[in-house]
Every structure is written in structure tokens, then in C-alpha cells.
Amino acid sequence: MTDRRTARPGVARAGHLAAAAAFAVCMAGTTLPTPLYGLYQEELGFSELTVTVVFAVYAVGVIGVLLLVGNVSDTVGRRPVLLCGLACSAASAVVFLAADSVALLCLGRLLSGFSAGLFTGTGTAYVLELAPPGHRARASFVATAANMGGLGCGPLLSGLLSQYAPHPLVLPFAVHLGLLAVSFALTLLLPETVAGARPLRTARAARPTLPPEVRRVFVPAGVAAFAGFSLLGLFTSVSPAFLGSGLGVHNRALVGLVVFTAFLASTVGQLLVPRLGTARAIPLGCLVLIAGMALLAASLAWKSLPPLVLSALVGGAGQGMGLRGAVGEVAGAAPAAHRGGALSALFVVAYFGISIPVIGVGLLSGPLGLAHAGLVFAACMAALAAASGLYLLRLLRLPRPEA
């Protein structure tokens, strides 16, 4: 295994960027099916509730991996875990290429969840550790931007290919397999950052742990991540159906663009965090997120596209501010030996946010209709974000404990 101290200088300098690129490619695979759900519904004939269940299976995979092996990279090293994540992502793409039933769609989403679970905490820690000295703040942005940017590029890529190129249920996954092959080769060239890493075969299931130093900042960080990811979960699961049935928008490239807008805004929101400071970015992000929820409610109530696009922009920016603030607070408080586990624990909470509310929308869409179910969702998440913001503002006024 390559040691960081003996890596070639060029690889050492650009290593965090290469790791971020692989991170983005892996995460793009998790949202690649978003504009394609309508095509799968036409071929397989399932309901909106089934769409949300298929989507939630992905979150189950993420949470399961994070809970069982979320901190394994702290002992066996970052690189082997990321290589396993890329392999799971490739397996997911292969299953989607063969998908002719809801069961196979669920299996593809589960494998996709495994890949995201392996990458989310470990990839973030790896990018931070590969960054040159003195570039920690910038590397934090690179890591979270790779995460959110990758999630946004997935639906944009598949939307464009499925709308304007042949074989709409084949070409997006074939292209993604090619990108994964390049990412796998890049990751093999990267150095390991965990001193004394043990062989991968020695990995054992273990829940993510929270060192005492992290616990004070974890609750506010986790609540902000939950609220922000819940909005992104709605955009990536049921927004294509709302665009089609509620607004008459059936162009898959446009559907992908709307979803991409939310993740792009998240990346832009992260750029504001260095000026605000990570602690202040979390409550301010909650405030902006509430505005995004209000715009979402307006779009659902009036069946209008412009408020939906504004909701993606405003809500995405709030989510990005909160996420980068949360990652910065948790990573900064965690000792190096437990950083991967602490970040994995943070993303466990975030992915509960991306799954539970979305299933609720699916369950309510039957008796209430999709638009009214979305209004209930927006009201609940706005209330949660408001409570979180008030709690975080109060916490900021309290003196920090002595180290």
C-alpha cells in the first residue's frame, strides 16, 4: 500500500482533487435514476408510493453501511474502503441495466446505497487528509462540493442522455460505468493516509463512535443535516412526478436540470461558510432552508414552476450552508483517529432525513394527493428547521467548554 510520505509529489499535491473526483462520480450514480422513474413506471406499472419505497431502499443501504462499517476506514485505511464503494456503484449500474422488475430496481438502489455509505464519511475524511498543509478549510469545501455536486450531476447527466440520446434506460448507466473505471484507476494511484492501516480482511463491523470532544457540536450539526437532506430527498424522489402530473413538464432533461439546480445551489451555499464561520453557518442555513420550504409550498399550492425553481435555489443554498457548517464542526472537533467514524455518524442522521420524510410523502400521496402530501412535508420540515435554528442560536450564546 502506498504511503503518503513516499507518494510522487504530483500525486501528493493533487491527491485530494483526484479523491474528490472519484467521490463525485460515485455520488452521481446514486441520483442517476431520478429522471428515469417515469420511464420505469410506464414499463413496470407501479405507483408513486413504490417510487418513494425504491428511493428509500437506497437510504437503508447507506444507513446500514454507515452503522455497521462507518468507522472501518479508521483502521483498514481510506483507500480500500473507497475502492469497495466504487465496486458497489458499478454493480448497481449493472443491475439497473438488467432491471425488468421492481425487485431489481430495489436491488440496484440498495447497492447504490452501499456505495454511498462507504464513500460518504470515508471520502470526506480522505479529501481532508490528502489536502496540502494549510488548506483544510478549502478541502472541507472540496469534499462537500464533491458530495453535493456529484449528487446534482447524476440527474442532469441521465436527463440529458435519456431525452436526447438513444436507449434512455441503457446509455446513462453505460456512461457511468466508464466514469467509474477511470475513478477506480485514479484511486489506485492515491496514497494511504491512515498510519498503520491493517489489511481489509481484518475489517469488523462496528458502529460509528462519537468521541467526547464531538458530542457537544454533534446534535446541532445532525439536526441541520437531517432537515437539509429531507428537502433534497423530496427533489430527487417525487419532484419528477410532480413536474409531470402537476405542471405538465415531461422533458426529462428539464427534470434533471431542476434537481441539479438544488444541488448546485447547495454547492454555492457552501462558499458562504468561510465568511460566516462554521458555527454560525448552521443556524443561518436553517433560516434560508425555511424560505426554501415556503417557496416549495407555494409551488405545490399554485401548481407553478417558477416557485419550484426558486425553492431549489434557496433551499439548496440553505442546505449547503448547513451541511458544510456541520461537516466543519464535526471534523474539527473529532480526533484524527476517530474522524471517519464521527463523520459517518453525522451522515447516518442526514440519510434518515433523506428517507423517512420521503416515505411519509409517498404514504400520504394516496389519500391526499401528491401536492397536498408535499404541503404537509414542507410544513413539518420548516417547523423542524425553525426549532433547530432557535436551538443553535441559543447554543452559540453559551460559552464553549475549556479544551
Side-chain angles (χ1 to χ4, degrees):
M1 183 174 291
T2 307
D3 186 271
R4 185 178 184 180
R5 293 167 296 185
T6 60
R8 288 172 292 179
V11 173
R13 282 194 299 270
H16 70 298
L17 299 178
F23 196 173
V25 168
C26 181
M27 299 310 291
T30 68
T31 52
L32 205 64
T34 295
L36 308 178
Y37 286 136
L39 292 175
Y40 285 120
Q41 281 183 287
E42 291 175 8
E43 287 201 359
L44 304 177
F46 50 79
S47 66
E48 291 306 322
L49 176 59
T50 303
V51 172
T52 60
V53 170
V54 169
F55 181 82
V57 166
Y58 157 75
V60 170
V62 179
I63 293 168
V65 168
L66 290 174
L67 286 175
L68 291 175
V69 294
N71 60 354
V72 72
S73 73
D74 291 330
T75 55
V76 304
R78 313 295 187 207
R79 194 175 62 169
V81 173
L82 297 187
L83 292 172
C84 289
L86 291 170
C88 287
S89 186
S92 171
V94 171
V95 170
F96 269 105
L97 286 172
D100 58 1
S101 66
V102 173
L104 281 179
L105 290 180
C106 288
L107 176 59
R109 292 297 288 161
L110 186 66
L111 289 167
S112 182
F114 290 163
S115 70
L118 290 168
F119 249 90
T120 300
T122 300
T124 302
Y126 198 34
V127 172
L128 292 174
E129 292 163 356
L130 283 172
H135 291 73
R136 179 68 177 276
R138 184 180 301 173
S140 176
F141 167 72
V142 169
T144 50
N147 192 342
M148 292 298 105
L151 289 168
C153 286
L156 182 63
L157 174 65
S158 62
L160 289 169
L161 291 176
S162 66
Q163 185 67 36
Y164 300 116
H167 310 297
L169 295 180
V170 173
L171 192 58
F173 299 103
V175 170
H176 189 238
L177 281 171
L179 294 173
L180 286 169
V182 175
S183 300
F184 197 93
L186 281 175
T187 304
L188 282 174
L189 295 174
L190 294 176
E192 182 53 68
T193 57
V194 175
R198 300 201 297 264
L200 184 60
R201 65 176 180 275
T202 64
R204 297 291 182 271
R207 291 178 297 174
T209 56
L210 284 181
E213 301 93 328
V214 179
R215 292 170 189 168
R216 185 174 186 272
V217 302
F218 187 82
V219 171
V223 171
F226 181 97
F229 267 63
S230 67
L231 178 66
L232 296 184
L234 188 75
F235 269 101
T236 52
S237 60
V238 299
S239 65
F242 174 68
L243 283 164
S245 62
L247 302 180
V249 176
H250 300 286
N251 185 298
R252 290 184 294 277
L254 182 56
V255 171
L257 182 61
V258 170
V259 178
F260 171 76
T261 298
F263 290 101
L264 176 64
S266 172
T267 305
V268 173
Q270 294 168 35
L271 289 170
L272 303 174
V273 173
R275 296 183 180 183
L276 300 170
T278 55
R280 288 181 175 81
I282 302 176
L284 286 175
C286 286
L287 182 63
V288 177
L289 190 63
I290 292 171
M293 296 290 183
L295 288 165
L296 175 62
S299 174
L300 293 168
W302 301 334
K303 294 188 176 181
S304 174
L305 181 60
L308 183 67
V309 176
L310 287 174
S311 171
L313 287 168
V314 175
Q319 189 274 343
M321 293 166 63
L323 177 64
R324 188 177 178 188
V327 169
E329 286 287 286
V330 171
H338 298 283
R339 188 173 294 126
L343 289 169
S344 292
L346 174 67
F347 283 106
V348 165
V349 177
Y351 276 96
F352 271 115
I354 213 172
S355 57
I356 295 174
V358 165
I359 295 176
V361 171
L363 290 171
L364 291 175
S365 64
L368 299 182
L370 187 59
H372 287 91
L375 286 170
V376 172
F377 161 86
C380 291
M381 290 304 104
L384 177 63
S388 305
L390 291 172
Y391 171 71
L392 291 160
L393 288 172
R394 178 179 176 274
L395 191 64
L396 281 173
R397 296 191 185 101
L398 298 176
R400 290 183 178 264
E402 295 291 333

